[in-house]
Amino acid sequence: MREAYHDQLDSIFDDLGGICRRVQVAVGLATQALMTGDSALAERVISEDIEIDRARERVEESGFSLLSLQQPVAGDLRTIVAALRMVSELERMGDLSVHVAKVARLRVPDIAVPDDVRPTIEQMATVAEDMVSRVCDVIISRDVEAAIALGKDDEEMDGLRRRSFSELLSDDWSHGVEAAVDIALLGRYYERIADHAVSIANRVIFVVTGHNPAALAEQ
Amino acid sequence: MREAYHDQLDSIFDDLGGICRRVQVAVGLATQALMTGDSALAERVISEDIEIDRARERVEESGFSLLSLQQPVAGDLRTIVAALRMVSELERMGDLSVHVAKVARLRVPDIAVPDDVRPTIEQMATVAEDMVSRVCDVIISRDVEAAIALGKDDEEMDGLRRRSFSELLSDDWSHGVEAAVDIALLGRYYERIADHAVSIANRVIFVVTGHNPAALAEQ
């Protein structure tokens, strides 16, 4: 009985890992749609988000079933509740990818990102996608060291966000208000994707060690 | 035993209601700081957010304690898990109020909101604060009708968001890129506060009826 129970708990984490990979693909494709003005790709990200939502529902059902049928003890209980929270965050990261895709779609046949801020936005997208990729590994491996390392990347994202603001607020900015607003919102979306990756990594630390990292309390 | 248990569950909802009122105050004060360029008020919102975070931790502890000590059955289980999610959303709404306060603080002694978009932003703030106020009532009363009605206000927020975009992207916009970016981000923050209010209302519907409103699945 206990055996089957732990198999089921492991299977929830496998499912979370699978959803995370879907999110990683969504972030990557949304960025590609954004950088190339590819409306078909943007549509794909938008329409495939429903699959992330459905996968979330399945994880929620499993989590509730474990909670109600197995009456887990303290440690397992916290693990299941953490899994339920992680899946909400993963779904939200999928939604944020959809927001990026929608900015891309809105500007087709143009490209929302002007050439001179392209390096900054590309780097934000790369950092965000890399953080998502690493948090997928953390979910599967429950590697606390790797989870702690993720928190440090968040500083890089903060720096990039500041750089994008100084670019679009500089006197040299020649792309008008619309592009500036797009860049500000895109920066916010990528930053939130990164925030969620850090938050999920912190939840894994909590599941493994039983302690909340200070970073989680600060968020 | 069961009696004490339900008292404890009710007390969690009372705590959620109390946190919600703190969030409502934070939204109101942040808006006031924004509209008047009052840096002391902005600082207050920023520094008092820690109290919302601490109150969240207390609700989480109560929720976990109920889950682990009482081994609740299906309906109560879903109620407690819903409460844990609601408290995360309330904390996030507090964070969004802090974001509004930080925009206000950044522009002191100026005011971030130019006069001609003031009516739109004021209305967004009013709708957001009203939705927070009503969701506090819904948490306490668990009134499903009132919870359903909240979802409809979200459409008003969407309309205001579109109006603010058309204002700042119009040819008449004379306030430059910085103000446009502030307005776009402020719009996003108020919109997210409203989204969370609707999401919490939907969770209350779920707790009372056992059914997920369609709106929750869509988010």
Side-chain angles (χ1 to χ4, degrees), chain A residues 123-138 145-162 190-199 201-202 215 219:
Chain A
Q123 210 176 327
M124 289 182 95
T126 302
V127 171
E129 196 183 335
D130 178 59
M131 288 173 77
V132 175
S133 167
R134 284 163 55 200
V135 88
C136 298
D137 294 340
V138 162
E145 293 300 314
I148 292 169
L150 245 182
K152 291 173 185 152
D153 278 15
D154 211 30
E155 290 166 26
E156 186 178 355
M157 184 58 92
D158 290 345
L160 287 166
R161 189 94 202 283
R162 280 193 297 274
Y190 284 118
E191 183 187 37
R192 291 297 300 153
I193 290 171
D195 287 345
H196 283 295
V198 172
S199 169
N202 284 337
Q219 281 188 347

Side-chain angles (χ1 to χ4, degrees), chain A residues 155-215:
Chain A
E155 290 166 26
E156 186 178 355
M157 184 58 92
D158 290 345
L160 287 166
R161 189 94 202 283
R162 280 193 297 274
R163 192 168 94 197
S164 78
F165 274 116
S166 69
E167 285 169 346
L168 62 88
L169 297 177
S170 84
D171 292 337
D172 299 337
W173 183 258
S174 59
H175 309 287
V177 166
E178 186 176 86
V181 166
D182 282 347
I183 298 302
L185 290 174
L186 287 166
R188 176 88 189 141
Y189 302 146
Y190 284 118
E191 183 187 37
R192 291 297 300 153
I193 290 171
D195 287 345
H196 283 295
V198 172
S199 169
I200 292 172
N202 284 337
R203 292 191 198 284
V204 171
I205 297 172
F206 177 62
V207 163
V208 176
T209 67
H211 296 290
N212 252 325

Side-chain angles (χ1 to χ4, degrees), chain B residues 44-55:
Chain B
R44 185 177 148 195
V45 173
I46 295 162
S47 65
E48 288 184 354
D49 187 56
I50 185 81
E51 290 171 28
I52 293 174
D53 297 347
R54 285 192 188 127

Side-chain angles (χ1 to χ4, degrees), chain B residues 72-85:
Chain B
V73 290
D76 290 341
L77 184 71
R78 284 178 187 257
T79 301
I80 300 168
V81 173
L84 289 172
R85 291 174 157 179

Side-chain angles (χ1 to χ4, degrees), chain A residues 19 22 25 35 41 67 70 75 84 100-101 107 126 136 166 175 207 211 218:
Chain A
I19 297 175
R22 276 183 189 276
V25 169
M35 293 305 179
L41 214 50
L67 280 175
Q70 309 285 354
L84 289 172
V100 171
R107 300 300 168 222
T126 302
C136 298
S166 69
H175 309 287
V207 163
H211 296 290
E218 282 166 25

